[in-house]
Amino acid sequence: MPSQKSAAAAAPEPGTLASAAMIAREKLDAGYAKHGIIGTSGTTEEEWDAVGFPDLDRQMLYAVKSNAGGLFSEAEVAAAKKEVENRISDIMDANPDDLKQAYRDVIDFYDAASEDEKATFDWVVDRSEVQKSYFVHGGREDVGLGMPAVEKLMEAWGQVMASGGNSNDLPNMPAYREAMMWWAQDNGGGHHVNVLT
């Protein structure tokens, strides 16, 4: 039986994604036990709320959404993605008559993500889409991050609009492929990016 000292040494460092995943796992399990719920694809949004998804902080929510450490089920991953959507919807609903401000606030939401989340290409794509929407609705503030991949995706959005396309066309834009390559380079080639699809 491992000693308390060795068990503590094996615990993930506080503030890391691994630590956030373990805490989220503990919180969800406690929620299941408290309410007698088993998380499945048939679990309702109200039940997920009761289990505790709205109480997870941003890093914990990302840990579940990304299935960090393989600790979460497909149903929990889907519930985490829905919770992110709910939080963004709440931000948008707070400014129904001022979409410029609403999108500016959503930009802040994305920028408050952990470094682990920001290191993903999905975050780069989502962040650029919100930035595009902010400008479309009259935003003039410089909300760029100095991130080449984000700025290149802004160029890709320009290509989409110039061609009369929609968001489904974004991956087909030349600037999108460049953004993928730049992102991979910024991440030291540690993430595989297929630029041929």
Side-chain angles (χ1 to χ4, degrees):
M1 185 175 189
S3 67
Q4 288 184 338
K5 184 175 180 180
S6 64
E13 183 179 345
T16 62
L17 186 61
S19 175
M22 286 190 65
I23 295 171
R25 179 71 273 160
E26 291 170 0
K27 285 181 175 290
L28 295 181
D29 287 344
Y32 291 139
K34 179 179 179 180
H35 297 283
I37 296 171
I38 298 176
T40 69
S41 59
T43 301
T44 67
E45 190 166 343
E46 291 74 19
E47 288 173 329
W48 286 125
D49 287 351
V51 168
F53 271 89
D55 300 324
L56 298 180
D57 69 22
R58 185 67 176 276
Q59 191 177 31
M60 291 177 202
L61 188 59
Y62 175 66
V64 181
K65 180 183 173 186
S66 62
N67 193 17
L71 298 179
F72 307 97
S73 68
E74 289 184 11
E76 289 169 336
V77 169
K81 291 178 180 178
K82 181 61 179 176
E83 175 62 23
V84 171
E85 293 173 4
N86 289 343
R87 294 185 188 187
I88 293 174
S89 293
D90 288 344
I91 295 171
M92 295 296 295
D93 291 345
N95 287 286
D97 300 319
D98 188 353
L99 289 179
K100 179 178 72 173
Q101 185 59 50
Y103 282 115
R104 181 65 185 83
D105 291 343
V106 176
I107 286 174
D108 287 340
F109 173 82
Y110 275 100
D111 289 352
S114 68
E115 292 306 310
D116 292 294
E117 186 172 352
K118 288 179 179 178
T120 66
F121 193 66
D122 284 343
W123 181 88
V124 174
V125 173
D126 291 342
R127 173 58 166 75
S128 71
E129 182 171 9
V130 176
Q131 183 171 326
K132 179 265 299 181
S133 297
Y134 169 69
F135 289 138
V136 165
H137 288 90
R140 294 292 176 265
E141 184 182 345
D142 181 6
V143 291
L145 296 174
M147 291 177 61
V150 172
E151 295 308 313
K152 182 55 69 171
L153 278 176
M154 290 301 295
E155 184 180 328
W157 281 111
Q159 292 171 347
V160 169
M161 290 186 282
S163 67
N166 57 44
S167 59
N168 293 328
D169 300 311
L170 183 69
N172 299 321
M173 298 298 110
Y176 182 93
R177 294 170 183 269
E178 288 185 63
M180 292 178 75
M181 290 186 286
W182 288 9
W183 173 82
Q185 291 169 1
D186 286 345
N187 283 274
H191 301 269
H192 174 69
V193 177
N194 186 352
V195 299
L196 299 178
T197 57

